[in-house]
Amino acid sequence: MAEKVLITGGAGFIGRHLSRALLEKGDEVRVLDSFIDQVHGDRSAVAELGPHVEVHEGDVRDGDAVARALDGVDKVVHLAAEVGVGQSMYAIDRYVSVNDLGTATLFQKLIDRPVRRVVVASSMSIYGEGLYRDADGALHEQVLRGPRNPDGSWDPLDAEGRPMEPVPTPESKRPTLASVYAITKYTQERLTLTLAPAYGMEGVALRLWNAYGPGQALSNPYTGVLAIFASRLHNGVPPVIFEDGQQRRDFVHVSDVARAFILALDHPNAAGGVFNVGSGEDRTVEDVATLLADSMGRPDLKPEIAGKARAGDIRHCIPDIDHICEQLGYEPLADFRDGLAELADWVARQQAVDRVAEARRELEARGLVA
């Protein structure tokens, strides 16, 4: 049976892909989005949503706008959020307001207009450093590190000064909130999982890893790392990588992310759950930058290794996706190299303003790069 799904922040990268996937399965889609310049620029996202998506322009902190958007809705996907670890460390009031007050406003209005299920986009950033194994085989959940070790290395060390090995991080790992962005995403998650059942609804949280694919905001210097790299390569300048480039991440194609959201909306096992969403494959950031440069026909643009760290960044965090695979039947389908080729083809047809240097100056001016 067709349902009407509201996607807050639905004109963004993930929201547009999810909208198409929902329409393909026969659901109706309504989007609430504020179309901020940093993300949407020329507002071409409206055209990309297509004529079959009902678009409401409004801020998720505006209770009246939220109430109108909820009218007649069966389920909600809550994507509306300011995104970016680095920027969150100085635009503190903005991130807390949009992410947490926005979520509070949504649930305030859901009290009078309850839906069956609310799925919130959480983030891998809430884990801080991922799970590690020391040289003796013991696992460590609460790993903290300074910007750099005395010997110049970057990896977290155990009590005896030995480097620890990152291992896949399960949902059971306790959060270690290392940035304002992480704090706000965890608050969004807990508000959803606390308030939804209190008012007869079902709540689900998806902890997303690094989503990539066509349609990313190339001119936003605080968006996903692949979009930032692609923007610089497109403008003929090398990607900039903090630390030494050997930090490990999982990159998940947006089509797989969209499938995860549909499972979270529909599967009976999803209710009340928290699920990692990734590809199940991890790579160093330097390797990813090199592969992307090759895909874009710019193998000459070798990544620039900054040798500095940003406040709030973590070293390694890779997902254990067994839970979502076993409980919801999730299966990541996209091949990474094919996904990079698709991204490169799309970027070649775009215009992108490279604002990475500007963003770096903002961080350095506040002492957030060391």
Side-chain angles (χ1 to χ4, degrees), residues 15-26:
R16 297 198 303 276
H17 284 267
L18 177 57
S19 293
R20 288 194 287 273
L22 287 167
L23 291 172
E24 287 172 4
K25 70 184 284 286

Side-chain angles (χ1 to χ4, degrees), residues 11-60:
F13 169 49
I14 292 173
R16 297 198 303 276
H17 284 267
L18 177 57
S19 293
R20 288 194 287 273
L22 287 167
L23 291 172
E24 287 172 4
K25 70 184 284 286
D27 288 336
E28 298 177 52
V29 178
R30 179 181 293 160
V31 159
L32 174 66
D33 204 292
S34 60
F35 296 97
I36 64 171
D37 288 342
Q38 180 172 307
V39 177
H40 296 290
D42 62 4
R43 296 172 61 93
S44 61
V46 177
E48 288 184 34
L49 284 167
H52 301 296
V53 174
E54 181 185 346
V55 178
H56 288 215
E57 182 169 357
D59 195 303
V60 73

Side-chain angles (χ1 to χ4, degrees), residues 1 12 15 35 43 51 89 109 117 131 134 139 151 159 168 176 184 214 217 235 261 274 285 320 345 348:
M1 185 178 69
F35 296 97
R43 296 172 61 93
M89 296 297 285
K109 297 306 173 182
R117 186 171 290 185
L131 190 64
D134 66 23
L139 294 176
D151 65 357
T176 305
T184 65
N235 284 287
F261 271 103
V274 176
V285 175
D320 182 334
D345 180 67

Side-chain angles (χ1 to χ4, degrees), residues 61 88 90-98 180:
R61 294 165 292 181
S88 79
Y90 65 85
I92 301 164
D93 54 351
R94 174 176 148 196
Y95 273 69
V96 172
S97 176
V98 173
V180 173

Side-chain angles (χ1 to χ4, degrees), residues 227-246:
I228 295 170
F229 289 173
S231 176
R232 287 186 65 81
L233 290 164
H234 187 58
N235 284 287
V237 290
V240 176
I241 302 176
F242 286 90
E243 302 183 17
D244 62 354
Q246 297 309 298

Side-chain angles (χ1 to χ4, degrees), residues 140-178:
H140 296 260
E141 279 195 339
Q142 301 295 94
V143 172
L144 299 174
R145 62 165 189 150
R148 199 165 189 173
N149 298 320
D151 65 357
S153 64
W154 299 92
D155 288 321
L157 306 177
D158 65 15
E160 297 182 25
R162 301 171 298 182
M164 294 192 287
E165 174 193 5
V167 296
T169 299
E171 291 86 350
S172 58
K173 179 191 176 297
R174 289 171 292 172
T176 305
L177 307 173

Side-chain angles (χ1 to χ4, degrees), residues 192-237:
T192 299
L193 296 176
T194 301
L195 290 170
Y199 289 96
M201 298 175 285
E202 297 170 339
V204 186
L206 297 185
R207 294 174 177 169
L208 307 181
W209 257 254
N210 300 275
Y212 75 99
Q216 291 184 270
L218 295 176
S219 298
N220 180 1
Y222 296 101
T223 188
V225 65
L226 270 175
I228 295 170
F229 289 173
S231 176
R232 287 186 65 81
L233 290 164
H234 187 58
N235 284 287
V237 290

